[in-house]
Amino acid sequence: MKKFTRVITYGTYDLLHWGHIRLLKRAKQLGDYLVVALSTDEFNALKGKKAYHSYEERKMMLESIRYVDLVIPEDSWDQKTNDVQLLKIDKFVIGDDWEGQFDFLKDYCEVVYMPRTEGISTTKIKKDLENIK
Ligand code: C2G
């Protein structure tokens, strides 16, 4: 009997694009239930980011994606260990731009760094739109 596998990933998910969707799809394929810890506007400030869409707007969009089962707030760098334990997470997944940054979670769950999708990013979208003007 295969164990019910819970997966978690973290991110800002601003200006939702197909690179984000591919990450979420692959993360879901690693288990049965996918939690997304979504960076709050305040946490984005800590990450030096200012999202175009508010937390509520980004949350609503993520909740509409078939691969996503639950969206929770990410408001601190230190919440991952607690999240993994409280939510009984089996796998932590994130893009390989974070390679090695979250290996401390290996004491609690599997840690998977996924290859990023080339050719798309929120930054690229903003830059390309600037050039259209
Ligand atoms: N991503 C991807 N391919 C892209 C762009 C993003 O696979 N072309 C992935 C990132 O690797 C990340 C997720 O999509 O796993 C969300 O990307 P961001 O919103 O940029 O997330 P980030 O700011 O890296 O937040 O505590 C961890 C941080 O909150 C991660």
Side-chain angles (χ1 to χ4, degrees), residues 21-133:
I21 302 298
R22 280 192 74 244
L23 188 288
L24 296 170
K25 180 174 183 176
R26 286 175 292 155
K28 182 60 178 280
Q29 285 168 342
L30 293 177
D32 306 291
Y33 188 86
L34 175 61
V35 181
V36 179
L38 182 63
S39 308
T40 60
D41 297 329
E42 297 73 18
F43 185 58
N44 277 329
L46 291 183
K47 292 199 286 188
K49 281 188 167 185
K50 173 135 184 42
Y52 178 80
H53 295 303
S54 71
Y55 174 78
E56 287 311 318
E57 290 160 345
R58 291 181 284 117
K59 179 172 188 280
M60 180 265 252
M61 285 197 267
L62 280 179
E63 286 172 340
S64 71
I65 298 171
R66 70 177 64 189
Y67 308 119
V68 175
D69 297 289
L70 175 69
V71 178
I72 63 171
E74 176 188 31
D75 48 27
S76 143
W77 285 112
D78 310 322
Q79 71 183 74
K80 293 182 175 70
T81 304
N82 199 40
D83 290 347
V84 165
Q85 290 177 296
L86 283 185
L87 292 169
K88 297 183 173 42
I89 297 296
D90 304 289
K91 297 182 183 178
F92 167 88
V93 176
I94 200 156
D96 62 5
D97 44 319
W98 293 93
E99 183 79 38
Q101 301 302 305
F102 303 115
D103 289 355
F104 64 88
L105 288 170
K106 286 180 177 173
D107 295 339
Y108 305 96
C109 65
E110 200 180 322
V111 174
V112 181
Y113 299 105
M114 290 269 197
R116 276 173 70 91
T117 300
E118 296 307 317
I120 183 72
S121 69
T122 304
T123 311
K124 179 176 180 345
I125 294 171
K126 287 177 179 171
K127 200 161 51 63
D128 291 353
L129 288 174
E130 272 298 303
N131 298 338
I132 288 175
K133 253 190 253 180

Side-chain angles (χ1 to χ4, degrees), residues 1-17:
M1 172 73 167
K2 196 169 86 59
K3 178 182 183 305
F4 186 82
T5 301
R6 291 178 175 80
V7 183
I8 195 165
T9 190
Y10 292 72
T12 296
Y13 289 94
D14 191 30
L15 298 184
L16 198 61
H17 57 67

